[in-house]
Amino acid sequence: MTHTLSYLSHLDWLESEAIHILREVAGQCANPTLLFSGGKDSICMLRIAEKAFRPGHFPFPLMHIDTGHNYREVTDFRDRRAAELGERLIVRSVEDSMRRGTVVLKSPSESRNKHQSVTLLEAIDEFGFDACIGGARRDEEKARAKERIFSFRDEFGQWDPKNQRPELWDIYNARRFNGENMRVFPISNWTELDVWQYIARERLELPSIYYAHLRPVARRDNALCPVTDITPALPDEKIEILRVRFRTVGDITCTAPVESEADTVEKVIAETAVTTITERGATRLDDQTSEASMEQRKKEGYF
């Protein structure tokens, strides 16, 4: 009798781990939610959830914390994709928190991105969520590299990097007291290249801004600032029409594109394979200052 060994690619292993984690959340948590922004990582999370739970519905709703200054291409995609899947989508906006007075901007032009933590904590309290699942990865940023897959948050939504639970042999502990919360990151071990290879393998549709397109930009602080009604060019800046794409997508005020000719997934993979700068290091303007550092924001309740 002959035996054939089945070959699993690295993407198969990563996908299998992520499916296992999602099922652990469903088994251990009473009321989780999957954060879905319409970005590439959360799009991968939707496919993994499909493989984990179809043909039934997901055992959790989708939720997005919207700053009110997100790219329309992405929010339109978010709404359409949730409708196609027939899954419940909850949207809560920083603008809601501003109306309640729980978020107060220093000036009308201040980025709302770092204030998402307030709206997120309010949404967790509103719906009684005991776990929030997201697509953050350890290779994105130093603070995220410190975080466990099941990341414990105290009753104030705060993260203490020195007080996290062990995760030996893929055993996860989601136990918590009332008011405490888990943040869960099933694709923590993926890289940006893994994400794009998975998108290619699964033939996942993405918002168009992830691929090279013409856009007005202004050069600012070693980055390309998109010129929009929300982010106009400064008086001394020259507006250029360049061919760019977005490596990561968030609030318009803090997400910068990069020059690129990659207008297909294959070309993006080729570019990603040779880059030496992390996607957030190159394109997230809000991560460059100590006031808005990722670690500090996580300690305040940010995802």
Side-chain angles (χ1 to χ4, degrees):
M1 182 174 65
T2 60
H3 296 276
T4 58
L5 296 176
S6 60
Y7 172 75
L8 294 179
S9 70
H10 79 288
L11 290 180
D12 293 324
W13 287 109
L14 290 171
E15 179 188 71
S16 178
E17 177 188 51
I19 289 171
H20 168 67
I21 293 165
L22 274 187
R23 288 173 175 169
E24 282 292 302
V25 176
Q28 293 192 46
C29 300
N31 188 24
T33 183
L34 173 61
L35 298 187
F36 177 59
S37 66
K40 68 181 189 308
D41 300 307
S42 61
I43 290 169
C44 289
M45 286 301 310
L46 284 192
R47 174 52 55 87
I48 292 164
E50 286 186 89
K51 294 193 176 186
F53 302 114
R54 286 299 194 236
H57 283 288
F58 300 166
F60 37 66
L62 311 179
M63 183 169 72
H64 182 216
I65 304 301
D66 191 344
T67 66
H69 284 170
N70 290 88
Y71 288 95
R72 185 65 180 269
E73 299 97 320
V74 181
T75 55
D76 285 350
F77 181 94
R78 173 201 69 191
D79 296 343
R80 177 169 61 82
R81 190 70 188 110
E84 288 172 350
L85 289 170
E87 299 292 345
R88 179 188 177 198
L89 172 65
I90 299 167
V91 178
R92 290 295 179 267
S93 175
V94 173
E95 292 178 342
D96 299 331
S97 300
M98 292 166 61
R99 284 190 288 269
R100 287 190 290 268
T102 51
V103 166
V104 179
L105 302 183
K106 295 178 181 177
S107 68
S109 62
E110 182 188 3
S111 174
R112 301 174 181 181
N113 197 57
K114 67 179 182 180
H115 297 292
Q116 286 178 292
S117 56
V118 174
T119 310
L120 174 60
L121 294 177
E122 290 173 343
I124 289 172
D125 182 65
E126 177 185 354
F127 294 98
F129 292 131
D130 55 0
C132 294
I133 310 161
R137 310 186 321 271
R138 291 190 176 115
D139 77 323
E140 291 182 272
E141 202 272 340
K142 292 180 180 178
R144 286 182 167 171
K146 295 181 181 180
E147 202 152 26
R148 301 293 169 86
I149 290 175
F150 276 63
S151 179
F152 173 77
R153 305 297 174 96
D154 66 19
E155 64 271 24
F156 302 105
Q158 296 176 326
W159 174 61
D160 180 359
K162 297 181 180 179
N163 184 27
Q164 294 294 304
R165 298 169 179 176
E167 293 181 340
L168 304 175
W169 306 294
D170 295 332
I171 297 175
Y172 304 108
N173 177 6
R175 285 178 292 181
R176 62 175 193 90
F177 292 108
N178 286 337
E180 297 173 343
N181 188 263
M182 300 299 297
R183 310 290 171 83
V184 184
F185 307 104
I187 61 172
S188 284
N189 294 326
W190 296 38
T191 66
E192 183 184 8
L193 183 59
D194 293 329
V195 168
W196 279 104
Q197 289 176 331
Y198 190 73
I199 289 166
R201 190 185 81 171
E202 298 295 313
R203 300 182 180 180
L204 300 180
E205 183 185 358
L206 298 183
S208 59
I209 63 175
Y210 276 109
Y211 299 105
H213 59 284
L214 293 175
R215 182 177 291 268
V217 298
R219 299 184 187 274
R220 184 181 307 166
D221 298 329
N222 298 317
L224 298 178
C225 179
V227 177
T228 69
D229 293 340
I230 298 169
T231 54
L234 300 178
D236 61 341
E237 291 179 336
K238 176 185 176 182
I239 298 177
E240 303 177 66
I241 306 297
L242 298 180
R243 194 163 174 80
V244 300
R245 69 177 178 89
F246 287 83
R247 291 176 65 186
T248 181
V249 172
D251 188 282
I252 293 173
T253 63
C254 64
T255 308
V258 296
E259 288 192 73
S260 174
E261 294 294 328
D263 55 2
T264 67
V265 65
E266 292 79 15
K267 291 178 182 179
V268 172
I269 289 172
E271 276 193 358
T272 304
V274 298
T275 187
T276 58
I277 303 175
T278 66
E279 61 197 279
R280 295 188 73 93
T283 64
R284 293 305 289 259
L285 304 177
D286 59 329
D287 288 347
Q288 310 305 318
T289 63
S290 58
E291 180 184 7
S293 70
M294 179 64 74
E295 184 159 339
Q296 181 60 37
R297 287 158 64 192
K298 280 180 171 289
K299 290 178 179 179
E300 295 170 353
Y302 187 70
F303 192 73

